[in-house]
Amino acid sequence: MLDWVTNPEIWIGFLTLVALEIVLGIDNIIFISIIAGKLPPEQRDRARVLGLAAALISRLVLLLALSWVIRLTEPLFTVLGQEISGRDLILILGGLFLLAKSVLEIGHSMELKDGEGGTKRKVTSFASAIIQIMILDIVFSLDSVITAVGMVDELGVMIAAVIVSVIVMLFASGPISRFVDRHPSIKMLALSFLVLIGVVLLAEGFEQHISKGYIYFAMAFSLVVEMLNIRMRSRHRAKQ
Protein backbone atom coordinates (compact mmCIF):
# COMPACT_ATOMS: atom_id res chain seq x y z
CA MET A 1 0.00 0.00 0.00
CA LEU A 2 2.87 2.36 0.73
CA ASP A 3 4.94 1.28 -2.26
CA TRP A 4 4.77 4.83 -3.61
CA VAL A 5 6.97 6.04 -0.73
CA THR A 6 9.96 4.06 -2.02
CA ASN A 7 9.12 4.33 -5.73
CA PRO A 8 11.54 6.84 -7.33
CA GLU A 9 9.44 7.11 -10.53
CA ILE A 10 6.44 8.39 -8.58
CA TRP A 11 8.58 10.96 -6.73
CA ILE A 12 10.21 12.14 -9.97
CA GLY A 13 6.79 12.45 -11.61
CA PHE A 14 5.45 14.29 -8.55
CA LEU A 15 8.30 16.83 -8.37
CA THR A 16 8.25 17.39 -12.14
CA LEU A 17 4.51 17.94 -12.08
CA VAL A 18 4.78 20.38 -9.15
CA ALA A 19 7.38 22.40 -11.09
CA LEU A 20 5.21 22.42 -14.23
CA GLU A 21 2.08 23.38 -12.29
CA ILE A 22 3.95 26.33 -10.75
CA VAL A 23 5.19 27.45 -14.18
CA LEU A 24 1.69 27.09 -15.65
CA GLY A 25 0.36 29.05 -12.66
CA ILE A 26 2.57 32.09 -13.31
CA ASP A 27 0.04 33.59 -15.71
CA ASN A 28 -2.67 33.00 -13.10
CA ILE A 29 -0.62 34.83 -10.45
CA ILE A 30 -0.02 37.76 -12.84
CA PHE A 31 -3.74 38.06 -13.58
CA ILE A 32 -4.71 37.81 -9.89
CA SER A 33 -2.05 40.41 -8.98
CA ILE A 34 -3.37 42.92 -11.52
CA ILE A 35 -7.02 42.44 -10.56
CA ALA A 36 -6.27 42.51 -6.81
CA GLY A 37 -4.22 45.69 -7.34
CA LYS A 38 -7.40 47.51 -8.37
CA LEU A 39 -9.03 46.79 -5.02
CA PRO A 40 -8.61 48.89 -1.85
CA PRO A 41 -5.36 47.90 -0.03
CA GLU A 42 -7.20 46.20 2.84
CA GLN A 43 -8.98 43.81 0.42
CA ARG A 44 -6.06 42.77 -1.78
CA ASP A 45 -4.64 39.94 0.33
CA ARG A 46 -8.10 38.41 0.78
CA ALA A 47 -8.74 38.60 -2.97
CA ARG A 48 -5.43 36.85 -3.72
CA VAL A 49 -6.16 34.07 -1.21
CA LEU A 50 -9.71 33.57 -2.49
CA GLY A 51 -8.49 33.66 -6.10
CA LEU A 52 -5.89 30.95 -5.52
CA ALA A 53 -8.36 28.96 -3.41
CA ALA A 54 -10.75 29.06 -6.38
CA ALA A 55 -7.89 27.89 -8.61
CA LEU A 56 -7.20 24.97 -6.26
CA ILE A 57 -10.87 23.97 -6.06
CA SER A 58 -11.38 24.15 -9.84
CA ARG A 59 -8.25 22.05 -10.47
CA LEU A 60 -9.29 19.40 -7.95
CA VAL A 61 -12.86 19.27 -9.29
CA LEU A 62 -11.56 18.80 -12.83
CA LEU A 63 -9.14 16.10 -11.68
CA LEU A 64 -11.96 14.25 -9.94
CA ALA A 65 -14.04 14.55 -13.13
CA LEU A 66 -11.36 13.12 -15.43
CA SER A 67 -13.88 11.23 -17.57
CA TRP A 68 -15.68 14.53 -18.28
CA VAL A 69 -12.40 16.33 -19.06
CA ILE A 70 -11.46 13.58 -21.52
CA ARG A 71 -14.86 13.90 -23.24
CA LEU A 72 -14.18 17.62 -23.73
CA THR A 73 -11.77 16.66 -26.52
CA GLU A 74 -14.60 15.15 -28.60
CA PRO A 75 -15.79 17.44 -31.49
CA LEU A 76 -18.99 19.40 -30.85
CA PHE A 77 -19.33 21.17 -34.21
CA THR A 78 -17.32 22.25 -37.24
CA VAL A 79 -16.46 25.82 -38.32
CA LEU A 80 -14.87 26.33 -41.75
CA GLY A 81 -13.63 22.76 -41.77
CA GLN A 82 -12.21 23.08 -38.24
CA GLU A 83 -13.63 20.74 -35.60
CA ILE A 84 -14.34 22.52 -32.32
CA SER A 85 -14.45 20.51 -29.08
CA GLY A 86 -15.61 21.57 -25.63
CA ARG A 87 -11.98 22.13 -24.62
CA ASP A 88 -11.37 24.25 -27.73
CA LEU A 89 -14.46 26.34 -26.98
CA ILE A 90 -13.33 27.01 -23.40
CA LEU A 91 -9.84 27.99 -24.60
CA ILE A 92 -11.23 30.29 -27.33
CA LEU A 93 -13.64 32.06 -24.95
CA GLY A 94 -10.93 32.30 -22.27
CA GLY A 95 -8.45 33.70 -24.79
CA LEU A 96 -10.95 36.32 -25.99
CA PHE A 97 -11.76 37.29 -22.38
CA LEU A 98 -8.07 37.59 -21.52
CA LEU A 99 -7.31 39.65 -24.66
CA ALA A 100 -10.23 42.01 -24.02
CA LYS A 101 -9.42 42.41 -20.32
CA SER A 102 -5.69 42.97 -20.93
CA VAL A 103 -6.20 45.50 -23.73
CA LEU A 104 -8.75 47.43 -21.64
CA GLU A 105 -6.34 47.45 -18.67
CA ILE A 106 -3.49 48.70 -20.89
CA GLY A 107 -5.72 51.45 -22.27
CA HIS A 108 -6.82 52.45 -18.77
CA SER A 109 -3.20 52.54 -17.55
CA MET A 110 -2.21 54.75 -20.48
CA GLU A 111 -5.09 57.13 -19.77
CA LEU A 112 -3.98 57.46 -16.15
CA LYS A 113 -0.42 58.14 -17.27
CA ASP A 114 -1.43 60.75 -19.86
CA GLY A 115 -4.14 62.35 -17.71
CA GLU A 116 -3.88 65.05 -15.11
CA GLY A 117 -2.17 64.35 -11.80
CA GLY A 118 -5.50 64.56 -9.97
CA THR A 119 -6.97 61.55 -11.81
CA LYS A 120 -7.92 58.90 -9.32
CA ARG A 121 -7.06 55.28 -9.72
CA LYS A 122 -10.10 53.20 -10.72
CA VAL A 123 -11.18 50.82 -7.95
CA THR A 124 -13.19 47.72 -8.81
CA SER A 125 -15.64 45.96 -6.51
CA PHE A 126 -14.56 42.91 -4.51
CA ALA A 127 -17.27 40.71 -6.03
CA SER A 128 -16.35 41.78 -9.57
CA ALA A 129 -12.68 41.00 -8.94
CA ILE A 130 -13.44 37.50 -7.58
CA ILE A 131 -15.78 36.72 -10.53
CA GLN A 132 -13.10 37.76 -13.05
CA ILE A 133 -10.48 35.66 -11.24
CA MET A 134 -12.79 32.63 -11.13
CA ILE A 135 -13.56 32.85 -14.87
CA LEU A 136 -9.87 32.74 -15.80
CA ASP A 137 -9.18 30.11 -13.11
CA ILE A 138 -11.39 27.69 -15.05
CA VAL A 139 -9.41 28.23 -18.26
CA PHE A 140 -6.00 28.02 -16.57
CA SER A 141 -7.14 24.99 -14.55
CA LEU A 142 -8.14 23.14 -17.72
CA ASP A 143 -4.65 23.62 -19.14
CA SER A 144 -3.09 22.56 -15.84
CA VAL A 145 -5.24 19.42 -15.47
CA ILE A 146 -4.62 18.28 -19.04
CA THR A 147 -0.88 18.61 -18.38
CA ALA A 148 -1.22 16.56 -15.17
CA VAL A 149 -3.21 13.82 -16.91
CA GLY A 150 -0.61 13.59 -19.65
CA MET A 151 2.29 13.27 -17.22
CA VAL A 152 1.16 11.10 -14.30
CA ASP A 153 -1.11 8.05 -14.09
CA GLU A 154 -1.85 8.13 -10.34
CA LEU A 155 -4.75 10.41 -9.36
CA GLY A 156 -3.37 10.81 -5.82
CA VAL A 157 -0.04 12.06 -7.19
CA MET A 158 -1.87 14.59 -9.41
CA ILE A 159 -3.94 15.90 -6.49
CA ALA A 160 -0.89 16.17 -4.20
CA ALA A 161 1.12 18.01 -6.89
CA VAL A 162 -1.71 20.48 -7.52
CA ILE A 163 -2.14 21.19 -3.79
CA VAL A 164 1.61 21.74 -3.24
CA SER A 165 1.93 23.99 -6.32
CA VAL A 166 -1.02 26.19 -5.25
CA ILE A 167 0.45 26.52 -1.72
CA VAL A 168 3.76 27.66 -3.27
CA MET A 169 1.89 30.15 -5.48
CA LEU A 170 -0.04 31.39 -2.45
CA PHE A 171 3.20 32.40 -0.69
CA ALA A 172 4.67 33.85 -3.92
CA SER A 173 1.59 35.84 -4.96
CA GLY A 174 1.94 38.46 -2.18
CA PRO A 175 5.51 39.58 -2.98
CA ILE A 176 4.80 39.41 -6.73
CA SER A 177 1.64 41.51 -6.36
CA ARG A 178 3.37 44.15 -4.25
CA PHE A 179 6.30 44.31 -6.69
CA VAL A 180 3.95 44.72 -9.69
CA ASP A 181 2.01 47.39 -7.81
CA ARG A 182 5.19 49.39 -6.98
CA HIS A 183 6.51 49.35 -10.56
CA PRO A 184 4.07 50.56 -13.26
CA SER A 185 6.43 49.39 -16.03
CA ILE A 186 6.29 45.83 -14.64
CA LYS A 187 2.50 46.01 -14.62
CA MET A 188 2.50 47.05 -18.30
CA LEU A 189 4.87 44.19 -19.08
CA ALA A 190 2.62 41.78 -17.16
CA LEU A 191 -0.40 42.97 -19.14
CA SER A 192 1.57 42.39 -22.35
CA PHE A 193 2.28 38.84 -21.13
CA LEU A 194 -1.45 38.32 -20.63
CA VAL A 195 -2.12 39.52 -24.20
CA LEU A 196 0.44 36.99 -25.40
CA ILE A 197 -1.15 34.22 -23.32
CA GLY A 198 -4.58 35.18 -24.68
CA VAL A 199 -3.28 34.76 -28.23
CA VAL A 200 -1.79 31.36 -27.28
CA LEU A 201 -5.13 30.24 -25.82
CA LEU A 202 -6.91 31.27 -29.02
CA ALA A 203 -4.36 29.43 -31.14
CA GLU A 204 -4.71 26.31 -28.97
CA GLY A 205 -8.49 26.55 -29.32
CA PHE A 206 -8.13 26.40 -33.10
CA GLU A 207 -5.67 23.47 -32.84
CA GLN A 208 -2.64 25.64 -33.71
CA HIS A 209 -0.06 24.49 -31.18
CA ILE A 210 2.52 27.03 -30.01
CA SER A 211 5.36 25.68 -27.88
CA LYS A 212 5.06 27.04 -24.33
CA GLY A 213 8.88 27.01 -24.14
CA TYR A 214 9.08 29.92 -26.60
CA ILE A 215 6.45 31.86 -24.66
CA TYR A 216 8.11 31.40 -21.29
CA PHE A 217 11.54 32.24 -22.73
CA ALA A 218 10.17 35.48 -24.20
CA MET A 219 8.52 36.33 -20.87
CA ALA A 220 11.68 35.55 -18.87
CA PHE A 221 13.93 37.52 -21.27
CA SER A 222 11.60 40.55 -21.22
CA LEU A 223 11.45 40.41 -17.43
CA VAL A 224 15.26 40.30 -17.10
CA VAL A 225 15.58 43.33 -19.42
CA GLU A 226 12.98 45.26 -17.42
CA MET A 227 14.67 44.37 -14.13
CA LEU A 228 17.92 45.80 -15.50
CA ASN A 229 16.04 48.96 -16.53
CA ILE A 230 14.55 49.30 -13.04
CA ARG A 231 17.99 48.90 -11.47
CA MET A 232 19.50 51.52 -13.80
CA ARG A 233 16.67 53.97 -13.05
CA SER A 234 17.10 53.49 -9.29
CA ARG A 235 20.86 54.11 -9.60
CA HIS A 236 20.21 57.23 -11.67
CA ARG A 237 17.80 58.58 -9.06
CA ALA A 238 20.32 57.83 -6.28
CA LYS A 239 22.97 59.92 -8.05
CA GLN A 240 20.69 62.94 -8.38
Side-chain angles (χ1 to χ4, degrees):
M1 186 176 178
L2 295 177
D3 289 344
W4 62 271
V5 176
T6 56
N7 190 333
E9 291 184 4
I10 289 181
W11 281 105
I12 291 171
F14 169 75
L15 293 174
T16 305
L17 188 54
V18 167
L20 280 174
E21 291 289 329
I22 292 171
V23 171
L24 289 172
I26 290 173
D27 43 16
N28 206 349
I29 291 177
I30 293 172
F31 183 79
I32 291 174
S33 300
I34 291 171
I35 296 299
K38 298 180 68 177
L39 291 169
E42 65 274 10
Q43 294 182 347
R44 292 174 190 172
D45 287 339
R46 190 153 59 99
R48 283 195 296 271
V49 171
L50 287 176
L52 286 169
L56 175 60
I57 292 169
S58 58
R59 280 165 168 77
L60 293 179
V61 168
L62 288 175
L63 278 173
L64 294 173
L66 284 180
S67 59
W68 177 75
V69 172
I70 292 171
R71 283 202 301 273
L72 284 175
T73 59
E74 297 175 1
L76 294 177
F77 53 87
T78 303
V79 177
L80 300 175
Q82 175 71 52
E83 292 182 340
I84 303 295
S85 66
R87 171 184 176 274
D88 295 333
L89 194 59
I90 292 173
L91 290 176
I92 290 169
L93 293 176
L96 289 173
F97 176 81
L98 200 55
L99 279 173
K101 183 65 183 174
S102 303
V103 170
L104 287 173
E105 286 292 329
I106 290 173
H108 180 67
S109 297
M110 295 300 293
E111 286 176 4
L112 286 180
K113 187 179 290 187
D114 295 337
E116 297 180 2
T119 304
K120 291 185 179 179
R121 180 180 182 173
K122 186 180 178 181
V123 177
T124 190
S125 71
F126 187 81
S128 173
I130 296 301
I131 290 171
Q132 291 178 58
I133 290 170
M134 289 180 69
I135 290 173
L136 258 295
D137 275 341
I138 294 171
V139 180
F140 292 140
S141 295
L142 188 65
D143 192 22
S144 171
V145 168
I146 290 172
T147 300
V149 173
M151 281 198 59
V152 181
D153 295 327
E154 297 289 335
L155 180 61
V157 174
M158 296 181 204
I159 291 174
V162 167
I163 292 173
V164 170
S165 63
V166 171
I167 290 173
V168 171
M169 288 190 290
L170 183 61
F171 283 102
S173 65
I176 291 174
S177 297
R178 287 187 286 273
F179 185 77
V180 168
D181 211 40
R182 284 199 307 270
H183 300 280
S185 60
I186 289 290
K187 180 180 178 181
M188 193 63 66
L189 187 61
L191 287 168
S192 301
F193 290 164
L194 291 179
V195 171
L196 185 61
I197 293 165
V199 172
V200 171
L201 290 176
L202 275 176
E204 292 282 346
F206 287 106
E207 303 297 334
Q208 302 298 316
H209 180 68
I210 300 174
S211 174
K212 294 285 176 53
Y214 296 125
I215 304 300
Y216 291 131
F217 173 78
M219 291 170 64
F221 181 79
S222 302
L223 184 59
V224 168
V225 171
E226 185 54 34
M227 293 298 290
L228 291 173
N229 283 333
I230 289 174
R231 188 169 183 181
M232 288 179 64
R233 286 196 295 267
S234 62
R235 283 185 175 181
H236 180 71
R237 285 195 295 267
K239 290 179 180 178
Q240 288 181 339

